[in-house]
Amino acid sequence: MSRSPSAEWAAVRRARLRIAVITGAIITLLVTVVGGVAHTVMVDAQNGQVWRELRYGAMYGDPVKPPVCTWLYAPGVEPLSNAPLGFPLRADIEEVRGTRQAVERTVERDDTVYLVRTQPRADGDVVQAVFDMRFQLADRSHLWFALAVAEVVGLLAAAVTGAVLGRRAVAPLAEALTRQHHFVTDASHELRTPVTQVHTRAQMLARQAADQGLPGPHRDTLARLVASTGRLGEVLDDLLLSASLAAGPARRSEHRPVELVALARSVAAEESDRVGARGLTVVVDGPPHPLFVDGVQSALRRAIGELLSNAIRHTPAGGRIEMVLSRSGGTVLLVVADTGPGFEPAAVEQLFRRFHRGSGDGGRYGLGLALLQEVVEHHGGTVAADGRPGRGARFTIRLPECAAPPGVPAEARPAEARPVTATRERRPGGPRRVRPGPAGGPGRPGGSPR
């Protein structure tokens, strides 16, 4: 499945983020493993050293002048004045007197840890040695603090390294995407003028053939030529709009408050000839007040036009198309519903694929609904499709509502809902401007099938 430009750039950004996250995770894991190993080694070394000293002191130490951080309790010897409270452990002394076997235990008391060994000496006396681990515990705390600092530094280094590596790793892909979009834009610009000229000349030849009464096969061939060149022009327009949308923030300067009700009516009026030719009824139903959204008017017009053109194409003669606009919780809703054949619910995802081949009228390829989705998403909105076979189709666009522009009078209200007929009034000041389309074609050349 082809990806939209926005999806491609989103994939690039995700790749950068993924590289940064993986780099940070690796560095964090390394620091954690090194810290865990260092802590384990330190604890084992400290405990082993302390127990060795404690056993030696219990066997040979002088109770009056014991080693540093050690207290020795022996019969007939007065404990030192700085001895910790709660010692000696009388139960251990009695047990050793009875069994003549040494007893070792760890006691947590007074916010520190004491290692206690009670054993008999060669002279028959039972001695209890107590070692205070507070300095060893302080060393371990200092180690954990150093590891925490190293972890923070490692995370910062990981963030910087990940960002640099991510940018450098995906730079070729980003450059390729940029060149691709530049090529699409340049090629579309360069091809648009000659394609328009070919389309115009084909239309002139088709009219001349009809005026001169050329044989039917000749006129049909020219009609198909006009349709093909018109379809090619529509595809080029779609490519141009898609490439410009891929620029993202560069189009923010083009955003303006757009009155969606008036825009929908304008789009419906432009399709009045096709609506009349097919015997359809198109109704635009909006609230009695303007609905403004922030966006690019030309792009939104193209999106609404795609939905309406898609509905016209798939609605049989005598059918009805409704365009309903409303407001809901800070969101403007535009619903386009038709009385066409509808579609299977499982086909919803395929409708928005780029160059998806649709059914009906032989099927064709196009950007249509995929481009519509790009436009809506670049405006911060969503588009959803719903349909059932034989029950028509319904497309819903949701866009964030924005405040009315300065200078818009409060009494400005859209006209009442009315059906679109086959005729329309031309604006004063010159003929109306319409995009060239295929003569006799079934619908918008660049429209998306469903």
Side-chain angles (χ1 to χ4, degrees):
M1 181 179 68
S2 300
R3 288 185 176 184
S4 66
S6 58
E8 293 171 349
W9 285 110
V12 171
R13 290 190 293 270
R14 286 196 299 270
R16 292 175 178 172
L17 179 61
R18 189 178 299 113
I19 292 174
V21 171
I22 291 175
T23 304
I26 292 175
I27 294 179
T28 301
L29 180 61
L30 288 176
V31 173
T32 303
V33 170
V34 170
V37 171
H39 179 266
T40 302
V41 171
M42 172 181 281
V43 170
D44 290 344
Q46 286 181 341
N47 288 342
Q49 180 66 25
V50 169
W51 279 116
R52 285 192 296 271
E53 293 180 359
L54 193 61
R55 290 162 187 160
Y56 183 86
M59 179 61 71
Y60 305 107
D62 185 357
V64 179
K65 295 181 179 181
V68 178
C69 297
T70 304
W71 293 268
L72 295 176
Y73 299 90
V77 179
E78 188 71 21
L80 298 178
S81 60
N82 62 347
L85 299 178
F87 294 101
L89 301 179
R90 300 295 180 182
D92 288 358
I93 293 176
E94 295 300 328
E95 179 180 349
V96 172
R97 284 176 179 172
T99 62
R100 309 304 293 179
Q101 299 293 327
V103 174
E104 293 181 347
R105 71 173 65 253
T106 301
V107 178
E108 295 185 7
R109 185 179 295 171
D110 300 330
D111 298 326
T112 187
V113 175
Y114 297 96
L115 301 186
V116 183
R117 177 179 174 86
T118 308
Q119 71 172 55
R121 284 188 172 183
D123 58 4
D125 292 337
V126 175
V127 177
Q128 187 172 94
V130 179
F131 186 90
D132 188 350
M133 293 282 293
R134 77 176 64 244
F135 294 114
Q136 285 73 14
L137 296 177
D139 291 340
R140 297 174 190 177
S141 299
H142 294 157
L143 174 62
W144 280 115
F145 177 77
L147 292 176
V149 173
E151 186 76 17
V152 173
V153 174
L155 288 176
L156 293 177
V160 175
T161 304
V164 173
L165 290 179
R167 188 172 296 276
R168 292 178 64 88
V170 302
L173 176 59
E175 182 179 358
L177 289 176
T178 301
R179 289 184 177 182
Q180 172 191 340
H181 296 145
H182 286 170
F183 170 78
V184 171
T185 303
D186 295 342
S188 301
H189 272 298
E190 294 297 327
L191 291 174
R192 192 65 185 92
T193 298
V195 168
T196 302
Q197 293 174 348
V198 171
H199 180 71
T200 302
R201 291 171 184 173
Q203 287 180 315
M204 293 176 60
L205 290 175
R207 285 195 294 267
Q208 291 176 1
D211 294 340
Q212 296 176 7
L214 293 182
H218 290 74
R219 295 196 302 270
D220 293 341
T221 301
L222 288 173
R224 287 194 294 271
L225 177 62
V226 172
S228 298
T229 55
R231 185 176 302 115
L232 180 58
E234 294 285 352
V235 171
L236 289 175
D237 287 345
D238 287 344
L239 290 173
L240 279 170
L241 179 56
S242 180
S244 64
L245 288 174
R251 291 179 61 87
R252 289 299 306 174
S253 60
E254 303 179 30
H255 280 226
R256 301 287 187 277
V258 179
E259 209 287 280
L260 212 60
V261 178
L263 185 62
R265 297 190 188 284
S266 174
V267 171
E270 291 179 357
E271 296 285 358
S272 59
D273 290 342
R274 289 176 59 197
V275 169
R278 297 176 64 87
L280 305 176
T281 300
V282 177
V283 176
V284 181
D285 186 9
H289 51 76
L291 296 176
F292 287 96
V293 298
D294 181 62
V296 181
Q297 181 166 329
S298 60
L300 291 174
R301 176 182 292 274
R302 190 64 176 276
I304 298 175
E306 173 59 37
L307 277 188
L308 181 57
S309 177
N310 190 67
I312 293 174
R313 177 179 175 81
H314 293 90
T315 302
R320 180 182 177 88
I321 301 172
E322 294 184 353
M323 300 177 65
V324 181
L325 296 101
S326 60
R327 173 197 292 138
S328 175
T331 301
V332 175
L333 278 71
L334 169 63
V335 179
V336 178
D338 60 55
T339 57
F343 52 83
E344 293 289 344
V348 171
E349 294 184 1
Q350 298 180 356
L351 295 178
F352 297 99
R353 290 183 178 180
R354 295 166 68 86
F355 300 103
H356 163 64
R357 185 174 180 85
S359 60
D361 297 331
R364 54 193 158 78
Y365 294 94
L367 289 172
L369 293 178
L371 182 61
L372 159 69
Q373 188 177 45
E374 286 183 37
V375 171
V376 173
E377 290 179 352
H378 273 79
H379 285 76
T382 60
V383 58
D386 181 34
R388 294 290 187 277
R391 298 184 181 181
R394 175 187 296 267
F395 289 83
T396 303
I397 293 178
R398 291 178 172 84
L399 293 169
E401 186 178 14
C402 74
V408 175
E411 63 274 9
R413 300 175 182 270
E416 294 296 327
R418 59 181 183 278
V420 177
T421 60
T423 61
R424 58 181 176 185
E425 298 180 356
R426 295 190 178 184
R427 297 180 180 178
R432 72 186 181 194
R433 298 178 61 187
V434 296
R435 295 176 54 187
R444 175 183 178 271
S448 287
R450 68 169 188 251

